Amino acid sequence: MEITVNGQTIKLDEPLTIAQLLQRFGIEPLRVAVEKNRDIVPRKTYAEAAVAPGDAIEIVTFVGGG
Amino acid sequence: MNNLTSLSLKIGPYSLASRLIVGTGKYASLELMQQCHDASGSNCVTVAVRRERLVDKNSGRNILDFIDPKRYILLPNTAGCFSADEVVRVARLGREMLTGSGYRGADWVKLECLGDTKTLLPEPIGTLEALKVLVKDGFQVLVYCSDDVMLCKRLKEAGAAAIMPAGSPIGSGQGVLNPNAIRIILEELKQSDPGYPVIVDAGVGTASDAALAMELGIDGVLLNTAIAGARDPVAMAHAMRHATEAGRLACVAGRIPRKLYATASSPWEGRVTA
């Protein structure tokens, strides 16, 4: 299936949870926030939140700014 | 004690020992940023929200690893947003990131809704719209805005926790271009509410700009480029700390009136004359 992560098309061989998706990209869950189709996915639900075909996922972090 | 006489600053849920809020952008390295934060004496740093890189992630270095959660409160901003919808979306992402993270700052946000990329000046209509949504959503909102007194009054009425007029355009280093506008804003916003926080955000170029802004009676200064872009950023961070404190103290102490002619400091009586 195909999903979009931060604007990029990503092909997945099997269904994943948000927790597994973060792990796949080597992302530390405590350092990001995740949106699925414009809705925030609360951090405590990452292990259960499933990714479905066509989902648009945003993974954001803090960067330097003023 | 209220914000008028106190040396610490109360905004929304937080009390800041330092009246200087500093940014985290444009530093040559995260180590340099950390040294500058230390030298600035600030207790509060702003951060921006951006997409995480999916590859080549700075070998695992995250900016938060260089910010001590016991020492600093984070102030997430909505920099780079050009509509109320974008502002609300980014503010919520910032809050989610801080919730349960061990860092303080989930309950407030620096609202920045910009008009265009050339001036980076605040877009007043979108700013007010976004503020209303965020207030309803439970945020304490520090609002970056232009130095228009009527707009500032509307923003305060709409529930802004603090008003942050720009001294001059972001990163321009022009200082406070219109001190009289700031004076009028202070008078209008504080007349029946002396502790209401007004912060100059953007435009500070050097220490005297920060001191002058504080002497006007504002409650704090928020700056980034003035330190990060200085030839010696750590030295400038020291300078900004002292300038903010000096300006605050001078404001509380009360300056002498300006006079056209001289007034002698030594007594006339007893002069040795012929």
Side-chain angles (χ1 to χ4, degrees):
Chain A
M1 68 178 189
E2 278 189 3
I3 60 168
T4 309
V5 181
N6 290 359
Q8 290 179 39
T9 304
I10 305 283
K11 282 193 171 62
L12 299 178
D13 298 332
E14 50 181 352
L16 294 181
T17 62
I18 294 292
Q20 289 166 330
L21 188 69
L22 293 178
Q23 198 175 18
R24 178 180 161 146
F25 289 116
I27 292 169
E28 163 59 52
L30 268 175
R31 292 287 188 249
V32 295
V34 178
E35 249 185 11
K36 187 171 84 172
N37 304 326
R38 294 276 184 140
D39 289 324
I40 285 178
V41 183
R43 191 180 283 125
K44 56 179 183 292
T45 69
Y46 287 173
E48 303 95 61
V51 176
D55 276 352
I57 308 289
E58 289 286 340
I59 305 170
V60 300
T61 191
F62 284 128
V63 300
Chain B
M1 292 269 268
N2 56 36
N3 276 343
L4 212 59
T5 49
S6 164
L7 291 179
S8 73
L9 169 60
K10 176 110 178 60
I11 308 177
Y14 301 111
S15 195
L16 307 177
S18 164
R19 287 172 179 270
L20 180 60
I21 300 174
V22 291
T24 54
K26 297 189 189 173
Y27 284 99
S29 71
L30 290 168
E31 288 80 4
L32 180 61
M33 177 196 79
Q34 200 170 37
Q35 288 169 40
C36 288
H37 288 172
D38 181 50
S40 76
S42 177
N43 322 110
C44 177
V45 300
T46 54
V47 282
V49 175
R50 290 292 180 272
R51 280 176 165 170
E52 175 64 288
R53 285 197 266 183
L54 303 181
V55 287
D56 186 27
K57 287 191 289 295
N58 295 325
S59 40
R61 283 154 53 109
N62 185 283
I63 195 165
L64 293 192
D65 300 329
F66 293 80
I67 301 171
D68 179 356
K70 289 192 280 295
R71 187 164 172 187
Y72 301 102
I73 299 166
L74 293 184
L75 174 57
N77 70 28
T78 65
C81 291
F82 290 85
S83 72
D85 283 349
E86 286 175 18
V87 166
V88 171
R89 188 181 182 190
V90 168
R92 287 174 178 159
L93 284 167
R95 175 167 68 183
E96 171 59 23
M97 220 167 344
L98 285 176
T99 303
S101 70
Y103 284 82
R104 292 167 292 165
D107 30 18
W108 71 355
V109 66
K110 170 182 155 174
L111 192 174
E112 195 173 314
C113 183
L114 304 174
D116 66 47
T117 53
K118 186 175 181 183
T119 67
L120 296 181
L121 287 172
E123 198 285 285
I125 314 294
T127 298
L128 182 58
E129 271 176 38
L131 171 64
K132 288 176 178 169
V133 178
L134 292 176
V135 167
K136 203 175 277 181
D137 205 11
F139 280 93
Q140 300 277 341
V141 189
L142 289 69
V143 188
Y144 169 64
C145 59
S146 46
D147 61 359
D148 179 290
V149 65
M150 295 308 156
L151 173 68
C152 289
K153 284 171 74 169
R154 295 294 95 83
L155 294 169
K156 186 187 173 197
E157 285 162 13
I163 294 294
M164 307 205 291
S168 52
I170 294 173
S172 72
Q174 297 181 62
V176 178
L177 283 179
N178 191 348
N180 288 342
I182 303 293
R183 283 194 182 97
I184 294 170
I185 289 166
L186 289 169
E187 203 174 297
E188 286 293 324
L189 267 52
K190 285 174 174 282
Q191 58 185 358
S192 57
D193 187 6
Y196 188 76
V198 178
I199 291 168
V200 161
D201 176 1
V204 167
T206 188
S208 55
D209 295 336
L212 188 90
M214 292 304 295
E215 285 175 23
L216 294 172
I218 57 160
D219 299 283
V221 176
L222 194 161
L223 58 87
N224 188 149
T225 309
I227 293 176
R231 192 172 58 238
D232 182 341
V234 177
M236 187 57 89
H238 272 287
M240 289 301 181
R241 172 189 196 152
H242 292 303
T244 307
E245 285 175 8
R248 182 66 196 165
L249 286 167
C251 174
V252 172
R255 60 154 300 145
I256 61 163
R258 290 175 202 273
K259 286 179 289 190
L260 188 57
Y261 293 108
T263 314
S265 298
S266 308
W268 282 111
E269 252 183 59
R271 282 175 302 140
V272 182
T273 53

